[in-house]
Structure formats: structure tokens, C-alpha cells
DNA sequence: ATAGGGTTAG
């Protein structure tokens, strides 16, 4: 059985840099270092490499090479420039470089580093593969007050070759900025590095682009993207290399980057730009995947552009990319919104042809489409099919059916439907009742409407609280029947109950008074509406 | 340690 002893080099490999850089009480000698005995940059600051400094550097290097693990006595007189000097000496011996860094951090956690000394340590740690330790140095560097991005980048760059470093140091810098949510800084550092001819890996760029896109700084993300694509061959080579290196992951970094940018541009309504990037993607020889197409397709749907949507869709099919349920539901929603139910039904059938199983959202959209037009029998056909596939009707679907009854002028059948569903265990919500209430109001059946308001408040029906939609429906009903006194009572009641009137409330009131030729009252409510911060309806 | 979601009321 082997007993492992804890030796200094083991301590130095402890994962958490903070514990390592903190002096351990049990290990520090009784003569703990007084603050004034700690090395400081001010003590011998002026000369960059005085004779005493270079002598000190020699002594430290010698001691470390001899395997003398405790060079604490020498380190006491150390200044940041000497740190840099020592690390330059060890550029070809990473284990000694690490030992020095660890000794320094272990004995003097409060050493007053400069950007240069931290940079040198970062290079050594990155080369040694100790990324989390390197990252804590980066954090230390970027958190030092009054340090500009230019200084940070310059420090890393000026110590770069003497430390025998490589560009993955810059990846770490960018990633650290990104993780610290300092995206402006990350972007500036990226730009600076690129202007100096250094590269940042595709991965780090993607992390930056993704974060920029997420907070809406699509312009900056676009800038990073352009810089990547402008740098051309090198980057693309790297992309393809990576792609070949990890086929098991199943995605290509090039496609990934484009998808991030395209999706971000779509999300922020910059569809035309997204299309430009898409074209650029095709030109660079990459194949768009379902994510690429979904971003474009969904944005085209949201815009209500049916022609564009169908172009994207057929383009996608021509590449044998199978659209998923989200693509289909987006398209069906587009066509039901514009009243083109034939098209919606066509895509509903395509769902099955594509080998997908329609879910409740797909059924909702189709049922809703029919119900909005009052085509109850079609809606029921779809409903029956849904039930036969053992998909349970959701509140939303039931509400759509209620809407369908009301649209076809049959609010009381809608109420029967609701009651039947309640018996089957369905739990209605405010929208269920509000839809029905508005249906009765349109049929000028105010007593039924009132009855439902009472009903929705009953505990056994769910104990729902009437909201602004409920009150607006009732108030609207009174206004249409020229019962303006009653309408005002409703207004007062809703305010009293803490439900704020909205633009629709005032529109009903104003319209009611106008149709009675009572312009004084109409203007009074018009002013009140403006006072409450609602802009007037287009009608005025 | 990297992108990504669809459906309801006046």
C-alpha cells in the first residue's frame, strides 16, 4: 500500500487558486510577514532592471533550479518587473515557472502585481494547461482599478513571445470577459487583438457572438462575425479542422456561428440582414441546417410574409431538411391568422406526411382557425380527431371552442359546452368566462353576461377574479345599449376593486356618449383617458 | 465551455 505524502508540488496542483494563493495558517511560520516586509512595486520601482534586481533574479532562478522549494527569503525583495524577468528565464522550463508562480502566490497572496507581471504568469499558466488558475489571474488583471483594455492587451502582447506563449491566451481573455459579463470590454479586446494580427479561436468568438446577440447587441456581434469572415482562409481552415476533429459532436462550428448570428438578427427584426448572412453562409460552402431555416422561417411567419415563408419552406425541403413541429405550427399560425384555412389545413396534413405526430399546439392552431371564422362543424371534426389520438384538450383548446360557439352566434351552446367540460374535470380560466361573457354581450343578453360574472367568482367554479376584460365587456354592453349611467357604475366599480381601466374602457365610454350626442361627457372621458396615459384610438 | 420554439379574450 502506497502512502502519499503531501509535498509542495502536490499543494501547487490544488484546483482552487484562491485556496492556493491564500497563506495557510498551519503552514506559515510563527514570524508571519509584517505588511511592510511584503514586496511592493514602489520600493525599487524606477529602474527596470537594476543590478540588484538582476542579482535577485539570478538567486531566485538558481534556488528554484536547485530544487529549493522555499525561496521565500528571496521573494520578499521581489518587484513585479523581477517577476517578469524570472518567468522569461523559465520560458523553456514550465515546471520551474509554475513552481515560481505557486511559491509567489502561496507566500505573498497580496503581492502588488502589475499588468505585466500578471500577464507573464498568465502565459506560463496557460501553457501549463492550468486554465482556471490562469483565469483567476486574468480576473485579477481586469479588476484592477484604472486599467484600460489597451493596457491589458498590450501587457499580454508584450510578454507574449518572451514567455513562448500562444494565441489560446487570448481565447482565455475573451472568455473571461464574456463570463464576467463585460461584453463591451470583450469586444474591444477582440478588436485590438485582431488589429495586432492575433487570432481568437472560433469557439471563443462564438461565445462572444452568442452573448452579444443575447443582450441585443447584434451590431457588435455582426462586427465580430465580419471580422471572422474577413480574416477568411485561416479561420475557415480552423473551422473545418475542428469540424473534422470532432465528427461525433454532430455539428460544425462554422454552421454554429452562422446560426447564432442569423438567429440573433432575426430575433431583433433584422430579417434582411439575416438573409444577407444566410447568402454569405451558402457562398462559404457551408450547409444550412434545420436551425438556420427555422430562424428565418419563424421570423418570416412573424412578419406575416406568406410568400417569403413558403419560399424558405420549399428551399428547406429542396435540401431534404425535415421541418419540425415548430416550423409547421408557425406556418399554420401564419395562415390561420390571415384567414387562409385551406393552406393551414394543407400544412396540417404535411405534418403527418413528414412523419411527425401533431401535438396539442398544432391542433389548437387549426381548431382556433376554424373557430375564429365560426366554422364550428370543421372545428369539431378536428376536435374529434384530436380526442381519438388521445390528446387531452387543454384550456386553450376549450377556450377556442367556446370562441367558436360565440362567433357563430350561439353563446348559450358555448355555455353548455363549458358546463359539460367542467363535469369532465376541465378547469376553466378567466379567458373561458370572458369569452363567453363577451359572447352574451354581443347577443345583448346582459342578464346572462352578469350571471356568468357571478358564476366565475364562485368557489366551486374556480373562484376567479373578474379582470379588465370582464369589466370592459359588461361596460361595452351598456354603452352599446345607451345605458351610460350603468356603464359609469361599472367604471367606478372596477376602479374600486383595483382593476385599472385601459384604452378600450374609455373608447367604449366615449363612443357611447358620442352616439348620444353628449359631447361634453365624451370630452370629459377623453381627457381622463389622456390623463391616465392612454393614447386615443385611431378613430379619433 | 459555444445557437434553438410554436398556440388563447375586448
Amino acid at each position: 500500500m502506497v502512502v502519499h505524502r503531501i509535498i509542495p508540488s502536490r499543494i501547487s496542483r490544488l484546483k482552487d487558486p484562491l485556496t492556493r494563493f491564500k497563506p495557510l495558517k498551519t503552514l506559515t511560520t510563527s514570524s508571519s510577514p509584517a505588511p511592510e516586509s511584503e514586496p511592493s512595486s514602489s520600493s525599487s520601482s524606477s529602474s527596470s532592471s537594476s543590478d540588484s534586481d538582476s542579482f535577485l533574479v539570478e538567486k531566485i532562478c538558481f534556488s528554484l533550479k536547485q530544487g529549493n522549494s522555499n525561496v521565500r527569503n528571496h521573494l520578499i525583495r521581489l518587484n513585479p518587473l523581477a517577476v517578469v524577468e524570472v518567468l522569461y528565464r523559465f520560458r523553456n522550463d514550465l515546471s520551474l515557472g509554475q513552481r515560481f508562480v505557486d511559491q509567489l502566490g502561496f507566500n505573498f497572496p497580496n503581492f502588488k502585481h502589475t499588468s505585466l507581471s500578471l500577464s507573464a504568469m498568465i502565459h506560463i499558466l496557460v501553457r501549463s494547461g492550468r486554465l482556471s488558475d490562469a483565469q483567476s489571474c486574468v480576473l485579477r488583471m481586469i479588476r484592477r482599478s484604472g486599467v484600460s483594455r489597451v493596457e491589458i492587451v498590450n501587457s499580454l502582447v508584450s510578454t507574449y513571445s518572451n514567455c513562448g506563449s500562444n494565441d489560446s491566451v487570448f481565447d482565455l481573455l475573451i472568455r473571461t470577459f464574456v463570463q464576467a459579463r463585460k461584453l463591451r470590454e470583450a469586444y474591444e479586446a477582440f478588436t485590438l487583438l485582431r488589429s495586432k494580427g492575433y487570432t481568437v479561436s472560433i469557439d471563443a468568438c462564438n461565445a462572444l457572438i452568442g452573448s452579444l446577440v443575447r443582450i441585443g447587441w447584434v451590431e457588435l456581434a455582426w462586427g465580430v462575425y465580419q471580422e471572422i469572415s474577413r480574416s477568411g482562409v485561416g479561420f475557415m481552415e480552423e473551422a473545418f479542422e475542428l469540424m473534422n476533429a470532432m465528427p461525433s459532436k454532430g455539428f460544425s462550428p462554422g454552421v454554429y456561428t452562422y446560426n447564432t448570428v442569423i438567429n440573433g438578427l432575426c430575433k431583433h427584426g433584422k430579417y434582411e440582414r439575416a438573409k444577407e448572412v444566410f447568402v454569405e453562409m451558402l457562398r462559404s460552402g457551408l450547409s444550412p441546417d434545420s436551425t438556420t431555416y427555422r430562424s428565418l422561417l419563424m421570423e418570416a411567419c412573424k412578419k406575416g410574409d406568406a410568400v417569403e415563408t413558403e419560399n424558405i419552406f420549399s428551399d428547406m425541403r429542396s435540401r431534404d431538411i425535415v421541418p419540425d413541429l415548430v416550423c409547421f405550427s408557425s406556418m399554420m399560425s401564419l395562415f390561420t391568422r390571415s384567414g387562409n384555412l385551406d393552406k393551414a389545413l394543407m400544412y396540417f396534413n404535411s405534418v403527418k406526411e413528414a412523419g411527425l405526430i401533431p401535438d396539442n399546439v398544432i391542433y389548437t392552431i387549426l381548431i382556433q382557425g376554424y373557430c375564429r371564422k365560426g366554422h364550428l362543424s370543421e372545428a369539431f371534426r378536428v376536435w374529434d380527431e384530436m380526442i381519438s389520438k388521445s390528446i387531452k384538450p387543454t384550456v386553450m383548446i376549450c377556450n377556442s371552442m367556446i370562441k367558436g360557439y360565440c362567433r357563430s352566434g350561439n353563446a348559450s351552446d358555448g355555455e353548455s359546452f363549458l358546463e359539460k367540460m367542467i363535469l369532465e374535470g376541465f378547469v376553466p380560466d378567466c379567458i373561458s368566462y370572458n369569452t363567453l361573457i363577451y359572447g352574451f354581450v354581443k347577443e345583448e343578453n346582459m342578464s346572462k353576461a352578469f350571471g356568468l360574472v357571478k358564476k366565475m367568482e364562485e368557489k366551486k367554479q374556480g373562484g376567479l377574479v373578474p379582470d379588465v376584460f370582464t369589466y370592459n365587456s359588461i361596460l361595452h354592453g351598456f354603452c352599446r345599449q345607451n345605458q351610460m349611467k350603468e356603464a359609469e357604475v361599472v367604471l367606478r366599480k372596477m376602479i374600486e376593486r383595483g382593476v385599472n381601466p385601459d384604452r378600450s374602457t374609455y373608447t367604449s365610454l366615449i363612443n357611447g356618449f358620442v352616439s348620444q350626442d353628449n359631447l361634453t361627457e365624451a370630452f370629459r372621458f377623453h381627457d381622463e383617458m389622456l390623463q391616465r396615459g392612454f393614447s386615443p384610438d385611431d378613430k379619433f
Side-chain angles (χ1 to χ4, degrees), chain A residues 12 14-17 20 125 130-138:
Chain A
S12 73
L14 287 176
K15 274 279 175 187
D16 183 3
R20 195 160 40 68
L125 288 169
R130 288 168 53 180
L131 290 187
S132 71
D133 290 346
Q135 189 167 47
S136 62
C137 289
V138 174

Side-chain angles (χ1 to χ4, degrees), chain A residues 198-227:
Chain A
Y198 294 97
T199 55
V200 178
S201 76
I202 292 274
D203 286 4
C205 287
N206 281 342
L208 175 57
I209 289 172
S211 295
L212 288 169
V213 160
R214 226 169 288 131
I215 64 165
W217 289 358
V218 189
E219 289 308 318
L220 292 191
W222 178 255
V224 176
Y225 155 73
Q226 277 179 320
E227 182 59 38

Side-chain angles (χ1 to χ4, degrees), chain A residues 61-70 96 99:
Chain A
C61 292
F62 183 76
S63 300
L64 285 166
K65 274 180 195 161
Q66 295 302 110
N68 185 350
S69 59
N70 192 357
L96 285 183
R99 193 181 299 174

Side-chain angles (χ1 to χ4, degrees), chain A residues 297-306 309 329-341 344 365-366 368-370 372-373:
Chain A
L297 189 93
M298 285 180 59
E299 182 56 22
C301 284
K302 220 183 288 167
K303 283 201 309 173
D305 190 336
T309 299
S329 62
S330 295
M331 294 183 76
M332 284 173 60
S333 165
L334 166 70
F335 288 113
T336 55
R337 265 183 291 147
S338 62
N340 192 342
L341 285 175
I365 294 168
L366 194 58
Q368 218 174 67
Y370 286 126
R372 266 207 293 252
K373 285 204 159 187

Side-chain angles (χ1 to χ4, degrees), chain A residues 420-431:
Chain A
K420 200 185 87 198
M421 292 307 295
I422 289 174
L423 284 178
E424 290 181 22
F426 167 75
V427 181
D429 63 5
C430 260
I431 298 178

Side-chain angles (χ1 to χ4, degrees), chain A residues 22 35 42-43 75 95 107 137 378 407 422 481 498 507 530:
Chain A
K22 246 178 241 162
S42 56
S43 60
L75 295 181
S95 62
N107 286 308
C137 289
E378 267 95 345
R407 264 295 157 89
I422 289 174
Q481 295 182 341
T507 305
L530 292 181

Side-chain angles (χ1 to χ4, degrees), chain A residues 259 262-264 266 271 290-300:
Chain A
N259 285 351
I262 289 170
N263 187 55
C266 285
Y271 185 76
S290 60
T291 301
T292 325
Y293 277 108
R294 186 173 43 214
S295 296
L296 292 167
L297 189 93
M298 285 180 59
E299 182 56 22

Side-chain angles (χ1 to χ4, degrees), chain A residues 258-271:
Chain A
Y258 277 101
N259 285 351
T260 308
V261 173
I262 289 170
N263 187 55
L265 288 167
C266 285
K267 279 279 163 55
H268 290 85
K270 303 186 177 177
Y271 185 76

